[in-house]
Every structure is written in C-alpha cells, then in structure tokens.
Amino acid sequence: MRGFRLAFIAMLVGVLAVPFAISGVSAQPDTSASDGSRAADMNPNCFVSGAIEGSGGYDPAASGGVYTVPIAGSASYDGGVIVDVPDEGREISGAVSVALPLGFSVGIRDWSDDDATGTTANGDVTWDLPDATPRGVPMTVSGFHNESGSPYCDGSISVKLEGGLLDSATGLVTAAITVITGVLTALTGIPSRP
Amino acid sequence: MTSEPTTQVRGRPVAGAILGFIFGIFLALSLLQMSVFALDSVMVVLLPIIMLIVGGVWGYFAPLRFLRS
C-alpha cells in the first residue's frame, strides 16, 4: 500500500511539473515560417500562396509546417484554380475554417456563386488582436473549393500566434488557476477525520 | 482483553474529482498555449476527464496521511 501511495504522489507531482518543464522551451517565439515538410495532397490545378509581414512567405502546397504570425500584422494572399470556364460561368463554392476537437470547426470565410467566371483571388488582410488573446495555440486552418458541385481542391495549414503561455494576461491567469487548482487537488489527498 | 481505539480517516473523492476536473481544464488550456498540442487535439477534451478520474481516485485513497497531524 505504501508503494502504491508513493507511486500516486509521484504521478501527481509529475503532472503538475509538466507545464513548468515545457514552458521554458516553448515560451521562446518560433519565427520560422514553416518546417519544410510537405502538406497533405493538393490538386496541382489549385494554388494559394502569399506572405505574412515579418514572417515570410507561406505556401500550403510546399509546407505543412506551423506558421507563426504576430498578434498584429498583415498578410497578402494569391489563390486560384486552373479550370476551363464556360461562357455562362459555373457553380463554385468553398470555405475556410478552424478545426476544433472531436471534428467540430468554426467557419472563418465561405464563398459561393452560381455563375462565376473568375478563377483567381488576391488581396491583403490585416489584423490587430487584443493583447489578452492567448498566444501559442496551434490551430489547423482548413479550406476547400468546389467546382460545378464537385470537390476540386482542399488543403490545410497550421497557424499559431507568436508567444507562449506567459505572454498574455489570459495566459498568466490560466497558469495561475492551473497551479492553484493543482495544489487544491493535491490537498484532497489529505484524509479527513469522520 | 482490551482493544485500543483506532482513529478512522476518510478521503474526499468527490472534492478530488471536481477539483481534478477543473485542474484538467486549465492544464489543457495551459498546454495549448505552450503549443504542446493543437486546438483540434482530442487531448483538449480527454485531459479534464482523465484528471477527473485521477482526482477522484486520489481523493478516495487520500495517501497524504502523514500530513494529517
């Protein structure tokens, strides 16, 4: 029984120590644009690329790495499809979303047109997120595009805001509550008298 | 023949489970911001459930008897 008790204590201490052991590594911002790995299959007739200010270019077809973006900045995009367009246009649709656990997702942008004639889209986007926004959370951003009602291309990239747990007010509060609830949980291991 | 009185102690499995669950939620949020796993990872959901069970078992066995004077 004593061995079981010690093993249990060791396990809880280990769980409590994980955040602090890792924070020293991940708190340093990763400014690399990608890790050079190749993304999931992309139809060669689709293309999308661009550049994130201060972080360099991105190209989902060339890299499946994590792109680290600043909390405020801008990015350019240039995407399109290589397809024969009939004179009367064709039906298109598509969407971009952020993946959540258990298969759920949150839509960012979608498009559809019953008689589209264009094949490209480009422009710039800017953002300025509040300082309290949690940093360092890797998010999978997925997109797809349908042509004439059929899937034509899809792809995804991983994005995270630069910084880590201790770089935002939200992160500091999260860390504090984690420590407090961890200690309180540990204290439930002290038996009470009947 | 005399029997010595024994001091009975008991654990706190419900408190352990509830606190473990809350701890699991914030541990998952902390690990997310440390880039340990991605937002779509199943660990975001599993960690609170795991800690609920661990906290309940921890509170039930209450192994920190040496801290009870």
Side-chain angles (χ1 to χ4, degrees):
Chain A
M1 193 65 185
R2 183 176 173 81
F4 174 79
R5 238 184 289 161
L6 289 173
F8 223 88
I9 293 169
M11 185 174 71
L12 194 70
V13 169
V15 170
L16 287 169
V18 165
F20 305 102
I22 297 170
S23 64
V25 177
S26 58
Q28 298 169 6
D30 172 18
T31 55
S32 60
S34 70
D35 65 1
S37 60
R38 185 160 182 82
D41 295 340
M42 256 189 97
N43 185 330
N45 292 324
C46 304
F47 61 91
V48 59
S49 63
I52 302 168
E53 183 185 7
S55 292
Y58 64 90
D59 182 357
S63 172
V66 177
Y67 294 86
T68 303
V69 300
I71 192 162
S74 63
S76 62
Y77 65 92
D78 182 12
V81 292
I82 300 170
V83 62
D84 292 328
V85 181
D87 293 339
E88 68 275 16
R90 83 287 189 203
E91 179 189 347
I92 64 165
S93 62
V96 177
S97 60
V98 175
L100 297 175
L102 304 178
F104 292 98
S105 64
V106 175
I108 298 176
R109 190 180 172 195
D110 59 74
W111 58 90
S112 64
D113 195 339
D114 291 335
D115 53 2
T117 54
T119 58
T120 61
N122 56 63
D124 295 289
V125 291
T126 61
W127 63 91
D128 187 1
L129 300 173
D131 285 341
T133 306
R135 317 289 172 85
V137 180
M139 296 174 284
T140 303
V141 181
S142 303
F144 69 89
H145 178 80
N146 296 338
E147 287 281 337
S148 304
S150 301
Y152 198 70
C153 48
D154 58 60
S156 64
I157 60 172
S158 293
V159 179
K160 68 176 182 178
L161 288 173
E162 68 182 6
L165 178 65
L166 304 180
D167 293 321
S168 70
T170 307
L172 289 169
V173 171
T174 303
I177 296 177
T178 303
V179 172
I180 291 167
T181 55
V183 170
L184 291 176
T185 303
L187 292 178
T188 62
I190 300 174
S192 62
R193 295 187 194 284
Chain B
M1 189 169 164
T2 58
S3 61
E4 291 187 11
T6 57
T7 304
Q8 287 190 338
V9 292
R10 63 182 181 189
R12 300 180 177 93
V14 175
I18 292 171
L19 283 166
F21 181 69
I22 298 170
F23 171 58
I25 290 173
F26 283 93
L27 182 63
L29 292 174
S30 296
L31 294 176
L32 267 176
Q33 293 175 70
M34 292 171 188
S35 307
V36 174
F37 43 70
L39 185 62
D40 57 337
S41 169
V42 72
M43 284 304 292
V44 177
V45 176
L46 275 184
L47 204 51
I49 297 171
I50 291 170
M51 291 313 298
L52 181 148
I53 296 168
V54 170
V57 174
W58 174 260
Y60 179 80
F61 286 102
L64 303 180
R65 288 159 206 265
F66 58 89
L67 291 178
R68 176 107 229 162
S69 56

